Amino acid sequence: MNRKLRYGMIGGGRGAFIGAVHRIAASLDNQAELVAGAFSSDAERSKASGADLFLDPARVYGSYAEMAKLESRKPAGERLDFVVIVTPNHQHFPPAQLFLESGFNVVCDKPVTFNLKEAVTLRKIIAKTKKVFVLTHNYTGNAMVKQARHLVSTGALGDIRKVVVEYPQGWLSTALEKTDQKQAAWRTDPKRSGAAGSMGDIGTHAENLAHYVTGLKIDSLCADLTAFVKGRALDDDGNILLRFKGGAKGILHASQICVGEENNLSLRVYGTKAGLEWKQEHPNQLVVKYADKPTEVWGRAQGYNAPAANSATRTPPGHPEGYLEAFANIYREAFRAISAEVSGLRQPKDLDFPTIEDGIEGMAFIETVVKSSKLGAKWVKFPNP
Amino acid sequence: MNRKLRYGMIGGGRGAFIGAVHRIAASLDNQAELVAGAFSSDAERSKASGADLFLDPARVYGSYAEMAKLESRKPAGERLDFVVIVTPNHQHFPPAQLFLESGFNVVCDKPVTFNLKEAVTLRKIIAKTKKVFVLTHNYTGNAMVKQARHLVSTGALGDIRKVVVEYPQGWLSTALEKTDQKQAAWRTDPKRSGAAGSMGDIGTHAENLAHYVTGLKIDSLCADLTAFVKGRALDDDGNILLRFKGGAKGILHASQICVGEENNLSLRVYGTKAGLEWKQEHPNQLVVKYADKPTEVWGRAQGYNAPAANSATRTPPGHPEGYLEAFANIYREAFRAISAEVSGLRQPKDLDFPTIEDGIEGMAFIETVVKSSKLGAKWVKFPNP
Amino acid sequence: MNRKLRYGMIGGGRGAFIGAVHRIAASLDNQAELVAGAFSSDAERSKASGADLFLDPARVYGSYAEMAKLESRKPAGERLDFVVIVTPNHQHFPPAQLFLESGFNVVCDKPVTFNLKEAVTLRKIIAKTKKVFVLTHNYTGNAMVKQARHLVSTGALGDIRKVVVEYPQGWLSTALEKTDQKQAAWRTDPKRSGAAGSMGDIGTHAENLAHYVTGLKIDSLCADLTAFVKGRALDDDGNILLRFKGGAKGILHASQICVGEENNLSLRVYGTKAGLEWKQEHPNQLVVKYADKPTEVWGRAQGYNAPAANSATRTPPGHPEGYLEAFANIYREAFRAISAEVSGLRQPKDLDFPTIEDGIEGMAFIETVVKSSKLGAKWVKFPNP
Amino acid sequence: MNRKLRYGMIGGGRGAFIGAVHRIAASLDNQAELVAGAFSSDAERSKASGADLFLDPARVYGSYAEMAKLESRKPAGERLDFVVIVTPNHQHFPPAQLFLESGFNVVCDKPVTFNLKEAVTLRKIIAKTKKVFVLTHNYTGNAMVKQARHLVSTGALGDIRKVVVEYPQGWLSTALEKTDQKQAAWRTDPKRSGAAGSMGDIGTHAENLAHYVTGLKIDSLCADLTAFVKGRALDDDGNILLRFKGGAKGILHASQICVGEENNLSLRVYGTKAGLEWKQEHPNQLVVKYADKPTEVWGRAQGYNAPAANSATRTPPGHPEGYLEAFANIYREAFRAISAEVSGLRQPKDLDFPTIEDGIEGMAFIETVVKSSKLGAKWVKFPNP
């Protein structure tokens, strides 16, 4: 493209967290600019947010429906190339459907929809509209996660036997939702968050990370979910046994009541030949362990990494990248697809971003763990929707 | 005591691993000396081992039965104060019974017996003989484990909600038992190891560590055990969900096929007020995490630790202690009990070493996880034998 | 400001490293946009770089002189609010002078000039023009560096006794400048880099970091510089003893021949009451050590940090920020000053970015260490230029 | 030997620190037993200490002179094979001379003597008496230090360019010697400690460690020593620039006023091909860094280590060894020499323990750094005594 991509945002106004993250991530590589938005269902709030962002007031809307209607009429030289959806979970599907069907490419925060059924429907809509749909499972944007995936896929670990993925946080260890904390409020509300609390918010990240790196598919699982904080309607902790197709076993645990933990997502994978470990809070390193030679610490941006890992970096070794850069890597890949779509070109074959398939798997994960837990933590087959 | 304690050893001859560990641990504080032994069922090998240790050949025996018989006749000034049993699991109960009933105090390696039934019987024998019985769950000897226990028991963590204990090793990731590796051979042999492989060898350590620190009792568990290495008769990996009495939840996983892992036992405990983390491979530190203040790294031998932790050290801060010192701490406590017994004094009230109760819990753990796994990883009530 | 700031760039075209870093840093918070540039002294190359960045070709220049001339004529609504200078060291002063005197605010990469004399002259120019001048000693932009400074300035460490600052890199451990590596070429060339190699490139960062955190001023130093790689004209390694005014002692060592080191800048400060440690490669943590209580690990974005630290973050705890975010924090503060200047308002009193004073100190550092080393590593008084 | 070695101890009575360390280290491998001692110059205290250790009261003496006289008369079957000297520094030389000249092998704590002159004299006495003399620079007993030495000596690092060795402690950051702390009292007293405080106590360890691993000899040095605590007669901190014969450069800093540091000895060595790092507080790992492949973490007792490293271990990988085990490794090597001497055999060629040469180098180090510092931190040639 010989110009920046233009995008609009749904949600992400004042007081939101993830909207600002998306805006930074989308603009980090100077390939896209925000030009429109429906930042809040409260029109005043939306306007104020648009002003904060120096947007043309005429393109700041009081609802995503209005935005879809008016933006659809824009001429080619002003038209949005994509929209970004960063509303709470229950408000993912409706705007996604509307904008796809209005001819826009869509980037959507995770989990993809409110429930599995919506996700399956969304797959059909995407297929029909032939628009690009990107799901921001951002942690897979990390360069060393890509290197981990490369090591597994090229056989450096041998056959995978065991996967341990964990995601402990501590921020919901008290009834924060009873204060005016907006982030806590919607995440613990079944009407906005969906069937799961911590499992939807962070368990799906853990599941997606494990899948991305290993390529393994869950065959069945046994989930013991808990709401530790009194009066909380959704799980704030979950411990899950996994059995993967092909025989590997695994553990996934995620929690938002692990006092003192910040955002401690980590993944360990053990194969017949080697093991690996990656920790999100120190994302520039990847540890690889062997039976008969020293443990290795691989560094981001080093020449020995695979191209897929090194194309997902901006700074030299030892100049740490973090959460925002990983998030921006999802956008960087998304832009390759969106640019092609906008230009009427064929989609590149090596695109590397989470899609509706990841979204469906995530929703299946949520529904399966909730089902298992409600049955008393019994083994449940993982569906193939 | 105004003399060193005298002890004999059963097992632990040439080629053994844990026997030498016990001898170092028992002698580290200059409170005990080895004077007799039945180091092997092969009389020649036993003699050779005794010679390596500079023992009087007359007190080196070809069988523990012979040893019990002849040592029982020794006069007071030569008599053994205790024996140490370091044979494979199936040979724990018979000598324990014989020596206890012959009037000797006993220190025994873990797991305490071949099966739960033997352990329960052993409890009766101990009660009847009134001898001291010490089980060497050595990891609880670590100073910072004692500090962790202190923090939990004094309420620093609040009510415990979640426990994550893991013990990955990698040394059995291939069929090592088919080479002439003696340690691998008996540990993977159901006739010598018992109902479990990795769960008995290291899973019980993990269970014991979690119990020692938290005081929590398992209410029920769901265990998925696997023998990943072809032809192996016992589990070499296990993933377990735990429910504790009182409502806490937990995860225990142990493995001997995690390629590249050395002896990576670790424990994390999260309560309503704080969390803690201890790693066996770096045992001189204890990490404590809070919601609203910086994470703390507590150091061994620092003045701020509890007496129970600081009495289990020999060197100043920063002069690292390790596996052997922790093991010796079990002996140090054992000697307080044995000295009292030998001297006809009342047992001290604050003894801090693993007992037959820990052994019974360990055997119940083994039998319960094996039962759960055989049922297809179903939830099974933890027995109260 | 109710609009984004407009800026132009001098240097930073294709093949450059730090130019792209500045562009990301300047735009991260959506407060500024690049609208002009003289990216290379090769006009073609400059044009191509401008096109990569989607700039209006009319505002892409073949020289900074041309840029200054033509941009000076732009009307208020298009006029540049500031320029960014990211050329090699010998090309800092000339454009800085020209743009300041042409009425532009200036952001300049470090070290500020080619030599101390230029830096002193530049101070006069800044004073005369009353424009904002910002020096991008980016590492002081890290949130936890600001927290470290806060702890020192509020007395949490007591009186400072010892400072250890080190900056080992390994990338110049071979004669990389003899290949076509552009970054290596100019950094090892006395005509473009100045009197020092590693001391100018990274030693000044170390000096600035130590000064920023402790507030201490160097009284005298003893520097042993070495060019280990054969044929290299400038130092690639230096070990320096420091004596600070007031009695504290210190060590500064920086190197570009420490094979295997990436960008391992770290700082340790010890006072009468506590010590602290910060490592650039893991910048989200700050370690604080005490005599009589556990070591603490402070985390970025936690509520217990000082406002100065927490205003320099964008993401919640555990969502790591890195090099680019720290760099952007320098810009964020710069924008407060530039906005005020552009708006004709008084400068805020609490501005927190490196200024010409830091630049002069850095140049004095370079000249003093070179002088000391040439004298055979003798003690030399630190000048007060 | 078909028996344990017999030894006596000079110093190390109640209240001492290092005496108990030596006793554990000497007995850890069951190769030696303590049978005599002059534990204190106070005869009562000596007796009490002997009783604590269950010694025959007849062999517990009120002075080392008495001990030498009476122990010299013992028959072969009771005769001491060696003595261990663990008194304060000023009391090393007199007993060493006496016992060597009385025909005993000697193990002596560091620094070897009160001053360099004594050390040189001691070398002559050792040569004349042909007895074994062992200096317990214990940190070189660590298995991974031996592996580091192996890597350097086999060229894995290429030519060494830079050495950074540091030893920060914090325990003397206040005037502890003015309380009744015995350890602090003699170490800060020029009459008992010698010309240096921290440099003698821990600086010599740092110097010895660097020399042991790299084999490099200091050509000249520039030392800036400080006594930060008011009224302290000896240095409690020192920063030193090093130039090695052959062109390598180095930094050595040691301190006892680094608040919050425990015993943080570490060594980094950079060569043309690789770098290495070892930290005493986590001694079971050795980090090796390369220009073009991942950083490696080597583990103690792993099969890939050199025999010299793996013969200095007792436990499998992941079962951490620490300070006492490293100390015991010095004794283990010493016993090979002492056994040969006692048996009238030729000394083994591959002995690996610190000798009088290390002691002389240490004393030369102390005198040179003190001299340099007194000259105002000027460069001083390292003597070759």
Side-chain angles (χ1 to χ4, degrees), chain D residues 4 25 45 59 67 82 141 151 169 173 187 228 231 266 283 285 345 350 361 369:
Chain D
K4 292 193 202 180
R45 197 181 189 92
R59 296 183 82 169
M67 176 171 155
F82 67 100
L151 290 175
Q169 295 181 330
S173 60
R187 278 179 176 79
F228 277 107
S266 75
Q285 286 80 35
L345 301 174
D350 59 346
E361 189 164 296
V369 298

Side-chain angles (χ1 to χ4, degrees), chain C residues 63-126:
Chain C
S63 74
Y64 69 82
E66 184 193 2
M67 176 170 156
K69 194 169 86 178
L70 297 179
E71 287 292 330
S72 294
R73 298 175 187 164
K74 295 280 178 194
E78 291 178 30
R79 191 181 166 80
L80 296 178
D81 297 306
F82 66 99
V83 297
V84 174
I85 299 172
V86 289
T87 42
N89 304 347
H90 68 306
Q91 289 290 359
H92 285 185
F93 178 78
Q97 175 173 32
L98 179 57
F99 280 89
L100 285 166
E101 295 183 341
S102 303
F104 296 96
N105 298 300
V106 170
V107 176
C108 183
D109 205 66
K110 45 57 54 188
V112 67
T113 50
F114 189 66
N115 56 38
L116 177 56
K117 196 179 155 201
E118 283 182 358
V120 172
T121 305
L122 189 58
R123 176 165 57 187
K124 288 180 202 152
I125 296 166
I126 295 163

Side-chain angles (χ1 to χ4, degrees), chain A residues 161-162 164 166 173 222 224-226 228-229 237-241 243 247 249-251 253-255 257-261 264 268 270-275 289-291 376-377 379, chain B residues 161-162 164 166 173 222 224-226 228-229 237-241 243 247 249-251 253-255 257-261 264 268 270-275 289-291 376-377 379:
Chain A
R161 286 170 163 174
K162 184 162 190 168
V164 182
E166 43 184 77
S173 61
C222 172
D224 193 19
L225 310 187
T226 311
F228 276 108
V229 172
D237 181 86
N239 300 328
I240 304 173
L241 301 182
R243 291 175 179 170
K249 299 284 180 83
I251 292 167
H253 57 102
S255 182
I257 57 88
C258 287
V259 173
E261 295 289 356
N264 203 357
R268 285 172 281 174
Y270 299 100
T272 47
K273 289 161 69 175
K289 299 183 177 189
Y290 303 93
W379 286 90
Chain B
R161 286 171 164 173
K162 183 159 189 170
V164 182
E166 44 183 77
S173 61
C222 172
D224 193 19
L225 309 187
T226 311
F228 276 107
V229 173
D237 181 86
N239 300 329
I240 304 172
L241 300 182
R243 291 175 178 169
K249 299 285 181 83
I251 291 167
H253 57 103
S255 181
I257 56 88
C258 288
V259 173
E261 296 289 357
N264 203 357
R268 284 173 282 172
Y270 299 99
T272 48
K273 291 162 68 176
K289 299 183 177 189
Y290 303 93
W379 287 90

Side-chain angles (χ1 to χ4, degrees), chain D residues 89 114 172 177 184-201 225-237 256-257 366 370 374:
Chain D
N89 303 349
F114 189 67
L172 289 176
E177 63 270 35
W186 77 256
R187 278 179 176 79
T188 58
D189 176 3
K191 291 187 188 143
R192 288 179 281 173
S193 187
S198 61
M199 287 297 115
D201 194 27
L225 309 188
T226 310
F228 277 107
V229 173
K230 262 194 190 161
R232 187 165 283 165
L234 296 175
D235 60 279
D236 49 28
D237 181 86
Q256 297 180 313
I257 57 88
I366 290 172
V370 169
K374 286 195 174 151

